[in-house]
Amino acid sequence: MWETELRLCYAMLSRNQKKAADLLLENPEAAGNITVRELAERAGVGQATIIRMLQAAGYESWSAFQKTVWQEKGQQELSGEQTGQKRENKKYEAVFQIIRDDLTMISDMAKHLDLRQMEEVVRVIKKAKIIDVYGTDNSANAAAELSGRMLHLGLTSRNYSDLFFQKVSAGHLGKKDVAIGFSISGETQAVIDSLAAAKQAGAVTVAVTGGQTSELARIADYIFITPTIHFSEISRWISSRISQMAFVDALCGAIMLSDPERFDRMLIQSTKEFEQDMHHKEE
């Protein structure tokens, strides 16, 4: 849906482009009727700014955007007539919307993933002495997952649930080390402090965030955007981790592809260690 596309690219828009996007998102019913000139006047921006905003969302022109608005409106009305707007179906519509949003977020992240930058980060990670991974709240899950997977690949990675230890660890890194910080907003102070400490210590820093112009992104040497969208409070705390986990999959996949022989060997060794551990427990 057009609203989804605008929300996904929102973090990458300029301040003036966001003004126009906000007007459309706050009053979606008017999106199909307002002219580009009217929208520009209400937002206090130029018409060229509106077009660039739409191009960022994947639309070639204002007419192409409005055509999509009317098509989707017609589909929604037809769907409502076919289902009879049954209350029991509407009750659980949010469940299916969460899944659709998740798929859209992953697709959007893949579309904007900078493979050249990914290759550079992989090269740095493979040479790193220590790889610290930071994250709190929902982002803590992705941080722990990445750290655990890198351990399986034979890479020395650390992750702390204690925020104080996280920052202390960052301060002891050096030029041969890497620090990766996860934060959807890019404004999580604990993660910002840790990544800043790592950077000051000389480590290479990587930000995985939904906020391209955030404080976390400003600190980092490398930035990867993981978009997030939610249409209700139900999905607010669910959706944020989806694109982060997809990024973890992509980064680990890129590491393995960079040297299949080496990392296949490491995974086999990790599997043997796990099997031996399970065997001892059964005894």
Side-chain angles (χ1 to χ4, degrees):
M1 294 179 64
W2 67 266
E3 293 169 89
T4 301
E5 296 298 333
L6 275 184
R7 286 188 172 93
L8 283 171
C9 73
Y10 191 85
M12 294 178 280
L13 299 179
S14 68
R15 183 188 303 177
N16 284 342
Q17 290 169 0
K18 286 179 179 178
K19 289 180 180 179
D22 288 340
L23 286 175
L24 290 174
L25 292 171
E26 290 168 4
N27 191 14
E29 291 298 320
N33 301 312
I34 194 173
T35 66
V36 65
R37 180 178 179 180
E38 289 172 334
L39 180 60
E41 289 177 352
R42 293 184 189 181
V45 301
Q47 294 184 34
T49 299
I50 307 294
I51 300 305
R52 285 194 292 271
M53 173 199 69
L54 294 178
Q55 289 174 341
Y59 299 98
E60 294 181 358
S61 63
W62 178 258
S63 60
F65 167 70
Q66 287 202 312
K67 181 178 179 182
T68 298
V69 171
W70 282 107
Q71 286 177 340
E72 291 178 354
K73 182 176 177 61
Q75 290 170 357
Q76 290 172 354
E77 291 176 351
L78 178 61
S79 176
E81 292 173 1
Q82 291 174 338
T83 60
Q85 304 256 337
K86 293 183 179 179
R87 182 170 299 178
E88 58 271 25
N89 287 345
K90 290 180 65 178
K91 179 180 179 181
Y92 293 103
E93 175 60 24
V95 174
F96 298 104
Q97 186 62 52
I98 290 170
I99 296 173
R100 289 192 290 267
D101 293 347
D102 289 349
L103 294 173
T104 301
M105 281 189 290
I106 293 172
S107 175
D108 189 72
M109 189 197 72
K111 184 167 57 177
H112 293 97
L113 188 64
D114 188 336
L115 293 179
R116 181 192 58 79
Q117 184 175 233
M118 178 74 82
E119 289 177 358
E120 291 181 11
V121 169
V122 167
R123 282 197 296 270
V124 172
I125 285 175
K126 286 164 62 178
K127 295 178 181 178
K129 183 180 178 181
I130 298 172
I131 306 158
D132 267 7
V133 190
Y134 314 129
T136 66
D137 298 327
N138 282 348
S139 295
N141 297 322
E145 182 71 15
L146 176 58
S147 185
R149 291 196 193 184
M150 287 196 291
L151 285 173
H152 279 293
L153 292 173
L155 300 168
T156 304
S157 180
R158 305 183 303 196
N159 171 252
Y160 300 92
S161 57
D162 188 296
L163 301 183
F164 176 73
F165 287 159
Q166 180 173 279
K167 187 174 180 180
V168 169
S169 176
H172 287 294
L173 296 178
K175 293 181 180 180
K176 295 182 179 180
D177 303 321
V178 177
I180 304 174
F182 283 82
S183 171
I184 283 296
S185 67
E187 302 297 342
T188 306
Q189 198 60 49
V191 178
I192 292 171
D193 290 346
S194 296
L195 206 67
K199 189 177 184 69
Q200 186 173 6
V204 175
T205 52
V206 180
V208 184
T209 176
Q212 190 173 35
T213 59
S214 65
E215 182 66 16
L216 188 70
R218 188 187 66 79
I219 294 171
D221 298 309
Y222 298 95
I223 308 166
F224 292 97
I225 301 300
T226 51
T228 181
I229 54 174
H230 52 80
F231 291 102
S232 69
E233 290 301 317
I234 295 174
S235 64
R236 177 183 292 274
W237 63 275
I238 296 174
S239 62
S240 63
R241 75 186 191 284
I242 299 301
S243 56
Q244 288 183 333
M245 295 303 290
F247 172 79
V248 169
D249 285 349
L251 179 57
C252 291
I255 293 172
M256 293 178 66
L257 287 171
S258 70
D259 193 343
E261 184 177 346
R262 170 189 172 183
F263 292 112
D264 282 348
R265 185 171 66 251
M266 292 300 177
L267 283 176
I268 291 172
Q269 180 62 35
S270 295
T271 302
K272 286 182 179 179
E273 295 291 343
F274 174 76
E275 291 175 347
Q276 290 174 0
D277 184 58
M278 291 301 294
H279 178 70
H280 290 318
K281 287 182 177 180
E282 290 175 357
E283 291 180 346

